[in-house]
Amino acid sequence: QLQLVESGGGLVQSGGSLRLSCAASGATLSGHLIGWFRQAPGKEREGVSCIVYSRGGTAYADSVKGRFTISRDNTKNTVYLQMNKLKPEDTAVYYCAAATMVERNIDKDYLYEYWGQGTQVTVSS
């Protein structure tokens, strides 16, 4: 059973950076699509970015393009989300998720079968 654990969240000032980690256990991430999602209070969950773990293909939401970078470390079975130039509107709980598929998609969160517990990111103005 694949298990995902996020870490790296915290409080940062506007314009700052954070790097989130999504560490997997129980199975290899190879053959999976790994996505980062976020949910702000009172808002629906939205897709932020994803990576096809084996091939490295990526996708980003328009709101984070040019600021966020998703990457993976095969030796650690871990996916990262580097977040730069953070804005107050990036404040949310960030979740990583895994889908048993290799097509990039951050619009349909129901395709993702495995979810982490989330990590809070707060950006102060």
Side-chain angles (χ1 to χ4, degrees):
Q1 180 80 0
L2 182 62
Q3 293 183 323
L4 305 172
V5 178
E6 304 97 334
S7 61
L11 173 63
V12 64
Q13 289 188 334
S14 181
S17 298
L18 285 173
R19 188 179 78 157
L20 305 183
S21 299
C22 174
S25 61
T28 177
L29 289 178
S30 181
H32 290 83
L33 175 71
I34 311 304
W36 282 99
F37 294 81
R38 67 186 182 186
Q39 187 165 23
K43 294 187 177 181
E44 292 187 355
R45 185 164 58 193
E46 63 172 339
V48 174
S49 182
C50 68
I51 184 168
V52 180
Y53 194 82
S54 56
R55 301 176 195 166
T58 61
Y60 296 91
D62 288 342
S63 59
V64 306
K65 279 181 183 176
R67 301 188 298 122
F68 291 11
T69 303
I70 192 169
S71 63
R72 86 275 200 213
D73 185 333
N74 293 335
T75 65
K76 296 183 178 180
N77 212 28
T78 297
V79 170
Y80 302 98
L81 185 68
Q82 178 67 43
M83 307 186 296
N84 298 330
K85 300 179 182 179
L86 283 162
K87 304 175 181 179
E89 51 262 44
D90 294 317
T91 295
V93 177
Y94 283 71
Y95 300 89
C96 72
T100 312
M101 57 187 282
V102 292
E103 297 293 329
R104 291 171 291 176
N105 191 300
I106 55 172
D107 297 322
K108 301 174 182 177
D109 59 2
Y110 59 83
L111 295 175
Y112 289 77
E113 302 136 283
Y114 306 97
W115 290 81
Q117 83 289 349
T119 186
Q120 176 71 46
V121 171
T122 303
V123 184
S124 62
S125 56

